[in-house]
Amino acid sequence: MSGMTMSQKILAAHAGLSSVSAGQLIEADLDLVLGNDITSPVAIKEMEKFKTNGVFNKDKIALVPDHFVPNKDIKSAENCKCVREFAKRNEITNYFEVGQMGIEHALLPEKGLTVAGDLIIGADSHTCTYGALGAFSTGVGSTDMACGMATGKAWFKVPSAIRFNLTGKLSEYVSGKDVILHIIGMIGVDGALYKSMEFAGEGVSSLSMDDRFTIANMAIEGGAKNGIFPVDDKAIAYMEEHAPGKKFTVYEADEDAVYDEEYTINLSELKPTVAFPHLPENTHTFDETDKINKIKIDQVVIGSCTNGRIDDIRCAAGILKGRKVADGIRCIIIPATQSIYMQAMEEGLLRIFIEAGAVVSTPTCGPCLGGYMGILASGERCVSTTNRNFVGRMGAVDSEIYLASPAVAAASAVTGYLSQPSELQ
Amino acid sequence: MKEARGSVFCFGDNVDTDVIIPARYLNTADPMELAAHCMEDIDKDFIKNVKKGDIIVANKNFGCGSSREHAPIAIKAAGVSCVIAETFARIFYRNAINIGLPIVECPDAAKEIKQGDVVNINFDTGVITDETTGKTFQGQAFPPFMQKIIDSEGLVNYINGKE
Ligand code: SF4
């Protein structure tokens, strides 16, 4: 019998089994069930069909209205009302109202609700973000969320894994976003379908927690079930700061764990990377063609659960400081949570943005999913730090999204063309 | 439901949930309202032409992207009786089973079945028959656990039935 991957160990522990193997169907106990303002109303309606009443544990459910809040229209307001009333009725501890909310995947780790060794499901595909802390977390739909809220359990097919050995260290203006775009460009949007993406190697220690959140966040864009990082001193320091006193468990992959594929990625060799429309796998680097420098843009968005954290905001501010957003470009900056917003304010970053001619918004998903706060008209182009550039994702069916890091997005705002920071004077 | 039969609508690779049901309509969870916009960013006429019982056939990674259950709900409410694809994105796969929308993975069928063909699927055996061309394909039958969820018309009914 061969060893288990990190993901498999967490699943086995939560299913009460000493071991599991890829392909096995299991039922496991959940540490946290998450939903937002789009997925929760569907789940709440499903829950009404249950014979048993109420939720399995009011402390182990997180409800975060973030997609269309502050409400963009009457229907969204009705959905949020439904979530708010459900939270009240069931005395949900972790319901985050406008004013306390942030984009769910930035908010939950910050609030200490996700720690190493946890098994988490969320009715949102980017729930895989918490793998940065060594948790097994994965996106599900509303019915799974409903059953999770009612029973505290979910069914899983145990995934096999792909291992990414990271070596070296990132260069200036290259960040976690470039790492994950590089990987998706290499394996494709279904390259890790049904599988875990497990990160390992000495290169991990040089990555900031914010870089790791960005990388784990976009595991789903490679089709993966989850992305997961080993738990090192940085991860432990993060949890001690954000979840003081909360028990966490460190799992390590067995030496003889089996991987479907292994890749080695030298972080030192990575360059600013951009995913062209209309798939995250459609990646290019700036030295590849000269066409990449001639792409005229209309809008820049810096934010989302992928790149709305403090490192991202600082990086963008570093580039925009003393510069101006190019004429005719709308540059929209969205810190992902209230505390990131406040931190940015205290560091004087908001002033830098406003002086540069950018707008700064309260936390919201907004433009990332084409909700509001920056919808594209027909034929328009946007450089965005979000995670999906599908047809129509941010507005008109024939608009275009270029996915990039905060550094590339900020530099592009200054030039008005898709640009990397080294091009700025 | 042990069988589905209908005419086929074909789609390509990586049909994502943003084109199955664009986020601009996610301010509602009403199945009929969602169905009215099903596939509109990839095929404006789909909803005009689809009839109850019809079948979607697609290539790889069908349903990739967001976890919105609104996507299989929209497809089911549009009248589609089954989706056949080379592969499905995993959250879509779960969601389809959990709401009782039958789906079958079958690379050969995905390659050979053409738009407008009339197709029959037997869920017990996984056999797909293209009645227009006479060809048959062996799709993957569900493991018994998932078949039970589909037979119960979804996960909630299945769990209710167990207790
Ligand atoms: S920021 Fe975008 S990807 Fe992230 S949760 Fe919100 S809508 Fe989804």
Side-chain angles (χ1 to χ4, degrees):
Chain A
M1 172 125 204
S2 58
M4 289 189 281
T5 65
M6 194 176 167
S7 304
Q8 290 169 351
K9 280 198 173 169
I10 298 176
L11 286 173
H14 286 78
L17 300 169
S18 57
S19 83
V20 295
S21 53
Q24 190 176 340
L25 284 163
I26 57 163
E27 191 177 58
D29 292 324
L30 302 169
D31 295 304
L32 189 70
V33 180
L34 160 74
N36 58 46
D37 53 320
I38 289 182
T39 55
S40 304
V42 180
I44 290 166
K45 222 166 86 197
E46 280 299 301
M47 264 197 86
E48 286 164 5
K49 297 187 198 155
F50 274 108
K51 287 184 192 154
T52 49
N53 263 330
V55 300
F56 84 106
N57 184 332
K58 69 186 181 56
D59 300 326
K60 293 189 173 182
I61 291 169
L63 298 173
V64 189
D66 56 357
H67 281 59
F68 294 155
V69 302
N71 301 138
K72 74 163 184 134
D73 58 17
I74 296 170
K75 283 181 180 171
S76 323
E78 295 294 344
N79 276 339
C80 286
K81 187 174 162 194
C82 158
V83 180
R84 185 178 302 117
E85 287 174 351
F86 174 85
K88 200 159 178 208
R89 212 165 47 240
N90 291 282
E91 298 172 348
I92 302 296
T93 322
N94 296 300
Y95 165 74
F96 298 95
E97 189 54 88
V98 169
Q100 285 118 42
M101 55 66 80
I103 298 175
E104 51 200 300
H105 310 305
L107 187 70
L108 298 196
E110 184 188 287
K111 295 283 182 192
L113 294 176
T114 59
V115 294
D118 276 359
L119 177 57
I120 301 164
I121 62 167
D124 190 279
S125 58
H126 293 100
T127 301
C128 51
T129 308
Y130 320 126
L133 290 166
F136 183 100
S137 60
T138 189
V140 295
S142 296
T143 299
D144 277 315
M145 178 191 171
C147 296
M149 287 198 295
T151 65
K153 292 177 192 298
W155 64 269
F156 297 94
K157 191 162 139 193
V158 176
S160 60
I162 302 179
R163 183 157 126 144
F164 297 89
N165 293 309
L166 308 182
T167 63
K169 213 170 156 233
L170 294 173
S171 323
E172 197 190 9
Y173 293 129
V174 181
S175 64
K177 184 61 161 287
D178 302 294
V179 178
I180 191 65
L181 286 176
H182 172 80
I183 288 174
I184 296 163
M186 188 170 72
I187 66 170
V189 291
D190 63 347
L193 198 59
Y194 301 126
K195 299 178 184 181
S196 304
M197 281 167 74
E198 300 213 346
F199 298 93
E202 38 97 11
V204 169
S205 64
S206 71
L207 294 171
S208 72
M209 286 314 296
D210 284 3
D211 279 329
R212 297 181 204 183
F213 283 122
T214 303
I215 295 170
N217 173 273
M218 285 188 72
I220 177 74
E221 265 62 64
K225 182 166 196 148
N226 68 313
I228 196 163
F229 276 87
V231 183
D232 64 1
D233 292 348
K234 267 189 198 166
I236 290 172
Y238 183 96
M239 290 187 283
E240 281 170 352
E241 183 187 344
H242 293 272
K246 190 165 172 171
K247 193 176 138 290
F248 61 85
T249 314
V250 177
Y251 292 90
E252 281 174 31
D254 286 326
E255 292 276 324
D256 59 343
V258 188
Y259 300 94
D260 289 351
E261 285 162 88
E262 288 199 47
Y263 295 94
T264 297
I265 294 169
N266 184 347
L267 299 175
S268 324
E269 287 170 6
L270 297 186
K271 299 179 183 135
T273 303
V274 180
F276 277 39
H278 290 283
L279 279 179
E281 70 182 22
N282 196 5
T283 55
H284 295 275
T285 51
F286 286 83
D287 50 356
E288 235 174 73
T289 57
D290 54 32
K291 97 174 175 244
I292 198 165
N293 290 322
K294 301 283 184 297
I295 294 167
K296 176 89 188 77
I297 61 167
D298 303 282
Q299 178 170 294
V300 168
V301 171
I302 298 171
S304 84
C305 60
T306 311
N307 281 125
R309 296 185 183 78
I310 193 67
D311 278 4
D312 305 315
I313 304 297
R314 280 185 191 134
C315 168
I319 289 169
L320 286 169
K321 186 168 187 182
R323 296 195 170 97
K324 290 272 180 233
V325 171
D327 269 355
I329 305 293
R330 295 103 59 182
C331 179
I332 301 161
I333 315 245
I334 312 179
T337 67
Q338 289 287 74
S339 93
I340 296 168
Y341 199 8
M342 195 128 75
Q343 180 80 24
M345 187 173 74
E346 279 163 11
E347 292 179 21
L349 312 183
L350 303 188
R351 170 171 282 273
I352 294 174
F353 293 132
I354 294 169
E355 282 178 354
V359 298
V360 187
S361 160
T362 190
T364 179
C365 293
C368 171
L369 80 162
Y372 69 130
M373 286 291 297
I375 303 301
L376 299 172
S378 129
E380 288 191 330
R381 295 200 182 105
C382 180
V383 177
S384 180
T385 69
T386 54
N387 45 47
R388 290 191 175 130
N389 55 353
F390 299 150
V391 168
R393 171 83 177 176
M394 203 179 270
V397 178
D398 61 346
S399 60
E400 294 184 351
I401 305 166
Y402 294 76
L403 301 177
S405 67
V408 167
S412 304
V414 173
T415 62
Y417 291 85
L418 181 59
S419 305
Q420 57 180 336
S422 58
E423 290 164 39
L424 300 176
Q425 301 306 314
Chain B
M1 195 201 305
K2 295 286 185 223
E3 209 180 49
R5 184 174 179 279
S7 2
V8 165
F9 290 80
C10 283
F11 295 93
D13 286 339
N14 303 315
V15 172
D16 62 79
T17 53
D18 276 279
V19 297
I20 297 174
I21 181 72
R24 58 184 179 276
Y25 303 119
L26 296 186
N27 53 6
T28 178
D30 178 70
M32 291 326 288
E33 263 187 74
L34 293 170
H37 302 289
C38 186
M39 297 291 184
E40 80 177 22
D41 282 0
I42 190 172
D43 177 0
K44 280 197 312 302
D45 298 323
F46 175 77
I47 200 64
K48 271 188 249 153
N49 296 332
V50 68
K51 294 180 309 300
K52 193 166 167 43
D54 281 352
I55 290 164
I56 288 178
V57 176
N59 296 342
K60 61 179 184 141
N61 205 22
F62 185 88
C64 62
S66 128
S67 69
R68 61 191 73 159
E69 207 158 287
H70 310 66
I73 290 174
I75 291 174
K76 195 179 177 194
V80 171
S81 64
C82 179
V83 184
I84 300 171
E86 195 177 324
T87 53
F88 290 92
R90 61 159 284 276
I91 304 180
F92 184 91
Y93 187 95
R94 274 187 95 89
N95 287 348
I97 289 172
N98 285 344
I99 67 156
L101 169 70
I103 55 176
V104 182
E105 283 190 340
C106 183
D108 291 339
K111 235 173 271 143
E112 296 203 26
I113 295 174
K114 297 275 174 307
Q115 177 92 10
D117 287 3
V118 174
V119 164
N120 175 296
I121 302 137
N122 181 322
F123 295 116
D124 290 334
T125 59
V127 172
I128 300 166
T129 310
D130 187 331
E131 296 180 3
T132 308
T133 62
K135 282 188 191 153
T136 62
F137 310 92
Q138 182 63 54
Q140 221 183 23
F142 288 116
F145 161 71
M146 289 187 205
Q147 188 58 52
K148 272 190 218 140
I149 298 177
I150 297 220
D151 289 346
S152 321
E153 296 253 331
L155 185 61
V156 175
N157 295 334
Y158 169 74
I159 291 179
N160 274 337
K162 245 185 8 178
E163 270 156 16

